[in-house]
Amino acid sequence: MTALWTSAAIATATSGKASAAFTADGVAFDSREIGPGDLFIALKGEHSDGHLHVEQAFASGATGAIVSQAVDGPHILVSDTTQALDALARASRSRTDAKIIGVTGSVGKTGTKEALYAALDRCSFGKAHRSVKSYNNHVGVPLSLSRMPADTKYGIFEMGMNHANELSALTRLVRPHAAIITAIAPAHIGNFPNGEAGIADAKAEIFEGLMPGGTAIIPHDSPHCPQLRKKAERHAGDVISFGFEAGADVRAIDVVAAPGGGSLVTAKLGDQSLCFTIAEAGLHWVSNSLAILAAVRAVGGDLASAGLALAEMSGIDGRGRRHFIALKSGGKATIIDESYNANPASMKATLQHFASEACAGQKIVILGAMGELGEQSAHYHAALADDILLSGVNAVILVGEDMAHTAAKLEQGLDQGVKMSHATNASEALTEVAKLLSDGDILLVKGSNYLGLSSAVSALVSGEY
């Protein structure tokens, strides 16, 4: 089996000097993630220095390291390890003939990336590669690129941003053949004085890195579609829109509920029609699936494989995974884990679907505050109350200081039988929900990642509450 990297190739890519010959089959910059045969990159940050963990990395099985100061053990000496990571990413991208897809958007990035990977890995017989977890920032993207084997057939990379000009740099590293914007929503809106229009401009930066003749894939039903199209046309050889409304190039023409959850979809792709099942529930997943089909076709993948992948997709931790737990009090309950992140659009979509969930017991939600909304935070948190009221919940636990605005509005409209509490943190929310859960209940947990609501999910799943 060919090594992912040799010391000679790393030295050439980074303009570094090798202390000894070695090979590496993986790459990491977190010493806690190092496994046997990995390359460790000792990054320096404002509050950390990877050089302090080189010894730990070697003890965990690293075969070599990229460092900016000499260390014991095989290493590549460079002047700047962050620049070396970018250089390694560029070298990885340059040595492959893979078809590359870039994915961004205010919501749906990770799920879309995972579904694309499942579809393209299936039709390439294991030769697809993608960014893991949510490694989508200025260090996560180059790390994901540097992990890509040279013989990869398809590469799928998630790219995120919370300021203008971030995606511009990332997409020029990735150089996608197809680039998707899933949706535009007021995520990180506090960092954009021009509101959603500014977010749309920043997301459209993904098209700047497109390969010549590449394909831009944009949400047709978005009010920002004309703005996105204008930017896309400057860089793309082809612009494909997806959505539910007439005029979309890839359009859902029929959607019905699938037995056991999910959706049965009939889509029109130009002069083609495709019927498929989506295991994940909600219209937002139908929308994502249309972008997925457009991208698979754009890079020459197999649409039948894409349909099978969508039918077999299971929820992702923090983004819709369902847990069926045994309760200490007896009986069973269902947890829908959406704890990874939240913004006004994803909250609305999730609560709308929650309203349609069948439930033998109570419907309970733990909702955490939404971050980076700036001066509009009070407005968006208050508006969330309307979506909660329409969801048909029996109990709601709000978490975080900004949820005071939600609580104030909820108090005006809650039915007398609906319970509401306001917790400061995830631990308090766990205490509250443990008092409420009973046989047949369904619990939705969603909030911004900084609140750590995933810890409450883990405690409930493990029974340690």
Side-chain angles (χ1 to χ4, degrees), residues 69 113 164 195 266 311 350 353 362 401 409 449 459:
Q69 59 196 52
K113 178 256 297 181
T266 302
T350 303
H353 178 71
Q362 305 175 95
E401 183 179 345
K409 188 170 180 181
N449 195 38

Side-chain angles (χ1 to χ4, degrees), residues 214-239:
T215 302
I217 300 169
I218 60 176
H220 179 271
D221 303 342
S222 169
H224 306 287
C225 184
Q227 180 183 353
L228 298 176
R229 181 178 291 278
K230 184 176 180 181
K231 179 64 176 281
E233 287 173 344
R234 296 182 209 157
H235 304 281
D238 192 17
V239 181

